[in-house]
């Protein structure tokens, strides 16, 4: 169901951690919350297992414990409810990158049947890594092959953020034996592609200006001073983003890369992709993400006949979620790319 929230009460999103529960189990728990303030729970129209709630409901949900009533004691109904691990408060647009990468891998007939090795290049605090894990696990289960597993290599160069990433991966993916996450505190730019010869997909969500985040977006609109101050920073960021995307393209067996930012600046988005494509003209193509075929807002382009129609944009004022950019790249030899 599509929600209808106005600007002041824009919704909050709750991703069910399907490594540990089903959405039905979580919905049953949330429906059992006894409170004077009732709220309506929606299922998101674009992201599977994503619940949409009013902002006032999140504190209630996060503080909810189970165990008292007979119904709560019935594990079949409640699953293993723990607000720290059963759900993840993750904004809708931030769920797009993992969804796009898994939909590309699942749509590729050759990759679909193999064990998967993936990489999350700039991973902390791990929202997208753990989302990748949940979606990959679901895809492995659907394939019906018992031995099929997914390994995710997750990097972050910052020591403290890497520690947080490790803790969250341990807590959220714990118990799901279809997925293994190996985290490492390392600068992605120095990761040697030859050491990861079997990686097939990379999610790259590098540091960005955050200009699409709703609060920043509104702030920027009202401050030319801030915009001017940001020019030098923007140049540095877009150079790093370009280097990181170029590096991702150099992993020998990688077939798909999903590049994303929570920025609304073309300098960090479309321009970064074009700069990389210009350096590897025949190896990589922009492809549409199968999972977001019905998403209307696309990349910014001067003409209609460009690859921007395959890029995803999210408008922070129109789309009830933070501004975002997602671009999927496929190696030209890949099964999917050859069909474009
Ligand atoms: N994908 C994360 C998530 O959804 O939870 C958010 C990633 S955040 C936008 C960018 C991260 O990239 C930061 O944690 C930062 O420490 C990390 N980072 C920045 N430069 C890096 C580099 N050269 N190598 C690895 N990680 C880097």
């Amino acid at each position: 169901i599509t929600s209808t929230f106005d600007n002041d009460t824009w919704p909050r999103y709750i991703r069910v951690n399907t490594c540990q529960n089903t959405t039905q189990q979580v919905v049953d728990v949330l429906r059992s919350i006894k409170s004077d303030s009732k709220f309506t729970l929606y299922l998101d129209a674009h992201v599977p297992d994503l619940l949409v709630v009013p902002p006032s409901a999140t504190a209630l949900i996060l503080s909810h414990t189970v165990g008292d009533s007979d119904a709560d004691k019935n594990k079949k109904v409640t699953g293993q409810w723990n607000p720290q691990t059963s759900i993840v408060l993750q904004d809708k647009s931030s769920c797009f990158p993992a969804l796009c990468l898994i939909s590309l891998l699942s749509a590729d007939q050759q990759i679909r049947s193999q064990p998967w090795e993936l990489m999350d290049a700039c991973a902390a605090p791990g929202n997208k890594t753990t989302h990748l894990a949940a979606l990959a696990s679901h895809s492995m289960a659907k394939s019906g092959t018992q031995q099929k597993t997914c390994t995710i290599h997750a990097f972050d160069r910052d020591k403290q953020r890497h520690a947080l990433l490790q803790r969250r991966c341990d807590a959220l993916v714990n118990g799901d034996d279809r997925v293994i996450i190996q985290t490492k505190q390392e600068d992605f730019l120095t990761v040697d592609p030859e050491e990861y010869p079997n990686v097939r997909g990379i999610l790259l969500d590098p540091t960005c200006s955050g200009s699409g985040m709703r609060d920043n977006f509104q702030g920027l609109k009202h401050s030319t001073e801030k915009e001017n101050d940001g020019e030098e920073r923007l140049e540095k960021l877009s150079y790093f983003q370009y280097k990181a995307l170029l590096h991702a393209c150099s992993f020998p067996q990688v077939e798909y890369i999903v590049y994303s930012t929570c920025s609304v600046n073309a300098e960090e988005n479309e321009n970064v992709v074009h700069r990389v494509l210009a350096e590897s003209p025949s190896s990589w193509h922009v492809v549409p993400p199968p999972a977001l075929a019905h998403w209307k807002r696309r990349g910014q382009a001067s003409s209609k006949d460009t690859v921007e129609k395959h890029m995803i944009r999210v408008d922070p004022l129109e789309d009830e979620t933070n501004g975002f950019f997602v671009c999927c790249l496929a190696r030209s030899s890949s099964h999917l790319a050859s069909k474009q």
Side-chain angles (χ1 to χ4, degrees):
I1 312 168
T2 311
S3 60
T4 47
F5 292 82
D6 63 34
N7 271 351
D8 293 332
T9 59
W10 72 310
R12 297 295 184 269
Y13 296 91
I14 293 178
R15 175 168 69 76
V16 174
N17 177 19
T18 55
C19 286
Q20 296 192 2
N21 333 248
T22 64
T23 294
Q24 188 60 56
Q25 285 171 331
V26 167
V27 168
D28 286 344
V29 170
L30 300 188
R31 287 173 77 175
S32 75
I33 293 179
K34 294 197 175 40
S35 158
D36 293 340
S37 48
K38 288 198 184 322
F39 61 88
T40 309
L41 195 65
Y42 298 90
L43 274 179
D44 186 68
H46 300 95
V47 181
D49 304 304
L50 190 68
L51 307 176
V52 190
V53 298
S56 57
T58 51
L60 203 61
I61 292 168
L62 285 175
S63 62
H64 182 65
T65 52
V66 286
D68 294 342
S69 74
D70 287 347
D72 283 351
K73 282 178 188 149
N74 180 352
K75 285 275 159 49
K76 280 192 186 128
V77 176
T78 63
Q80 305 288 331
W81 170 258
N82 170 350
Q84 304 305 318
T85 55
S86 299
I87 54 171
V88 178
L89 292 189
Q90 183 168 353
D91 196 49
K92 171 172 174 167
S93 53
S94 149
C95 295
F96 286 0
L99 185 63
C100 289
L101 183 56
I102 296 297
S103 72
L104 285 164
L105 297 166
S106 305
D108 187 313
Q109 284 170 4
Q110 277 164 16
I111 294 185
R112 192 166 48 196
S113 55
Q114 301 165 357
W116 288 356
E117 206 169 315
L118 311 178
M119 191 172 272
D120 188 349
C122 296
N127 286 334
K128 296 179 189 70
T129 319
T130 54
H131 191 204
L132 262 186
L135 293 170
S137 173
H138 184 252
S139 176
M140 308 279 113
K142 250 179 42 186
S143 79
T145 321
Q146 292 257 308
Q147 298 86 348
K148 212 180 135 192
T149 54
C150 174
T151 304
I152 303 173
H153 304 280
F155 298 98
D156 204 282
R157 73 167 178 197
D158 183 277
K159 191 175 176 193
Q160 281 180 347
R161 289 176 69 86
H162 170 262
L164 174 63
L165 168 71
Q166 179 72 62
R167 278 200 303 279
R168 292 193 73 224
C169 291
D170 287 347
L172 291 165
V173 182
N174 177 30
D176 188 327
D177 46 19
R178 291 194 196 90
V179 194
I180 300 159
I181 302 183
Q182 294 179 338
T183 76
K184 204 164 178 193
Q185 187 206 333
E186 190 167 344
D187 182 337
F188 174 63
L189 297 179
T190 66
V191 174
D192 180 0
E194 301 302 325
E195 280 183 30
Y196 297 90
N198 300 316
V199 170
R200 309 305 294 274
I202 298 184
L203 193 157
L204 174 63
D205 182 47
T207 304
C208 72
S209 64
S211 61
M213 301 296 281
R214 219 171 124 101
D215 293 346
N216 294 348
F217 184 75
Q218 284 169 337
L220 268 179
K221 281 203 118 180
H222 296 117
S223 165
T224 44
E225 201 181 310
K226 233 178 176 178
E227 275 172 18
N228 294 339
D229 275 355
E231 250 171 53
E232 201 179 320
R233 181 168 176 248
L234 199 57
E235 247 174 60
K236 279 191 185 149
L237 284 169
S238 65
Y239 184 68
F240 164 63
Q241 292 152 352
Y242 148 77
K243 293 295 276 184
L245 184 54
L246 202 59
H247 190 55
C249 292
S250 71
F251 284 69
Q253 288 294 323
V254 167
E255 298 281 356
Y256 300 102
I257 299 170
V258 172
Y259 172 74
S260 64
T261 73
C262 56
S263 161
V264 289
N265 307 319
E267 292 89 332
E268 298 178 85
N269 299 332
E270 291 88 349
N271 298 2
V272 169
V273 174
H274 282 298
R275 197 171 166 191
V276 169
L277 289 180
E279 292 201 15
S280 52
S282 59
S283 325
W284 291 90
H285 285 75
V286 177
V287 290
L292 290 177
H294 302 297
W295 185 262
K296 293 269 183 310
R297 203 175 304 284
R298 298 288 161 154
Q300 289 177 353
S302 46
S303 121
K304 274 189 180 162
D305 267 344
T306 61
V307 292
E308 277 81 0
K309 63 177 181 286
H310 297 324
M311 302 179 188
I312 300 291
R313 276 240 178 197
V314 180
D315 183 311
L317 296 184
E318 297 290 329
D319 296 328
E320 295 188 328
T321 174
N322 284 314
F324 227 80
F325 174 80
V326 184
C327 176
C328 304
L329 296 160
R331 202 183 281 277
S332 299
S333 58
S334 80
H335 183 67
L336 202 70
S338 63
K339 289 201 296 187
Q340 299 305 312

